[in-house]
Amino acid sequence: AQTVTQSQPEMSVQEAETVTLSCTYDTSESDYYLFWYKQPPSRQMILVIRQEAYKQQNATENRFSVNFQKAAKSFSLKISDSQLGDAAMYFCAWAYGQNFVFGPGTRLSVLP
Amino acid sequence: DTAVSQTPKYLVTQMGNDKSIKCEQNLGHDTMYWYKQDSKKFLKIMFSYNNKELIINETVPNRFSPKSPDKAHLNLHINSLELGDSAVYFCASSQSRISGRAGETQYFGPGTRLLVL
């Protein structure tokens, strides 16, 4: 069975600093997708970034970038120039077809 | 023009009651899902429907019955509610077909917070 692990239940970062959230996964598939979702206190699940496993280039969305290491099955999220609005739960997810598996989440606090 | 909408946003009810949560997506997607997020924020898939057909049915009590009248709607009916059913339930949709691309992005509704007393 596919599993997704986020080893950091909580993280904090100073405003304007950079933080990296870890994610590892286990799968026997070779062509899959990885996602980071953000869930602020409003509860809404918001897509942050998406990575296709067959692409070697790391995905980037403005201040958000990933470090995708396929052989190591690692998919970390880097947030640069952290802002107060980045405070949220962050979920890493693995997907293949209709199968979506979420990690347990990392709660990120941003300190002013 | 919300992409994925759920009603109600909050639902407080007594143990033993039957309740439904409605979900609608206006994205033209083929696949819809129900997730349960427990008090520890763990998000787990419950059901997946593709074009009104049940695809994924994880181990959930048969008190939970999804119903898809058309591919834009996936409702969740819960019979004989129990205290442990208290959670936030999320509906989501994605474009993928069964034989389509792997891992299409899922778009989530705002969630329904269910509290069973």
Side-chain angles (χ1 to χ4, degrees):
Chain A
Q2 278 66 229
T3 58
V4 177
T5 302
Q6 293 176 249
S7 59
Q8 307 148 317
E10 295 185 0
M11 292 278 286
S12 61
V13 62
Q14 209 72 38
E15 201 175 359
E17 297 294 311
T18 295
V19 65
T20 299
L21 308 184
S22 301
C23 173
T24 57
Y25 57 94
D26 187 24
T27 183
S28 57
E29 304 289 349
S30 59
D31 183 18
Y32 50 87
Y33 282 57
L34 296 162
F35 303 82
W36 278 98
Y37 280 87
K38 167 186 176 182
Q39 186 180 38
S42 66
R43 284 203 322 253
Q44 181 71 52
M45 292 287 286
I46 302 165
L47 177 68
V48 175
I49 203 163
R50 183 176 101 152
Q51 174 81 42
E52 294 141 332
Y54 64 87
K55 288 188 176 178
Q56 291 185 343
Q57 187 173 6
N58 289 325
T60 299
E61 285 288 342
N62 300 316
R63 298 182 294 108
F64 298 87
S65 61
V66 298
N67 183 4
F68 174 46
Q69 302 287 329
K70 191 173 183 178
K73 296 180 182 175
S74 169
F75 183 61
S76 60
L77 175 70
K78 185 170 86 170
I79 307 174
S80 304
D81 185 25
S82 297
Q83 300 175 0
L84 294 177
D86 295 333
M89 283 288 289
Y90 285 82
F91 292 95
C92 178
W94 171 97
Y96 181 79
Q98 280 80 36
N99 289 313
F100 237 74
V101 179
F102 283 86
T106 296
R107 183 178 299 281
L108 177 67
S109 302
V110 181
L111 308 173
Chain B
D1 54 346
T2 306
V4 183
S5 59
Q6 293 178 229
T7 54
K9 284 191 74 173
Y10 299 94
L11 186 53
V12 181
T13 187
Q14 298 286 332
M15 221 165 45
N17 283 350
D18 302 339
K19 290 293 178 185
S20 292
I21 306 172
K22 296 185 177 181
C23 178
E24 177 181 2
Q25 55 95 2
N26 61 7
L27 298 167
H29 287 168
D30 290 313
T31 307
M32 296 183 72
Y33 311 79
W34 276 108
Y35 288 87
K36 179 180 180 181
Q37 186 175 41
D38 61 25
S39 58
K40 295 181 180 177
K41 302 293 187 185
F42 191 69
L43 202 63
K44 193 172 190 312
I45 193 167
M46 299 173 69
F47 301 103
S48 165
Y49 264 74
N50 181 276
N51 238 337
K52 303 195 303 175
E53 186 181 336
L54 182 64
I55 303 302
I56 293 174
N57 183 359
E58 294 295 322
T59 307
V60 298
N62 57 14
R63 300 181 293 104
F64 290 79
S65 54
K67 286 187 170 49
S68 182
D70 54 61
K71 76 172 192 177
H73 295 84
L74 180 62
N75 303 324
L76 183 65
H77 190 75
I78 315 170
N79 288 330
S80 303
L81 278 155
E82 300 177 357
L83 295 177
D85 297 332
S86 296
V88 180
Y89 291 85
F90 284 96
C91 177
S93 73
S94 68
Q95 197 167 15
S96 64
R97 296 176 179 273
I98 295 174
S99 57
R101 295 180 62 195
E104 291 286 344
T105 301
Q106 293 197 7
Y107 296 86
F108 284 79
T112 296
R113 183 179 290 280
L114 171 65
L115 179 60
V116 182
L117 303 175

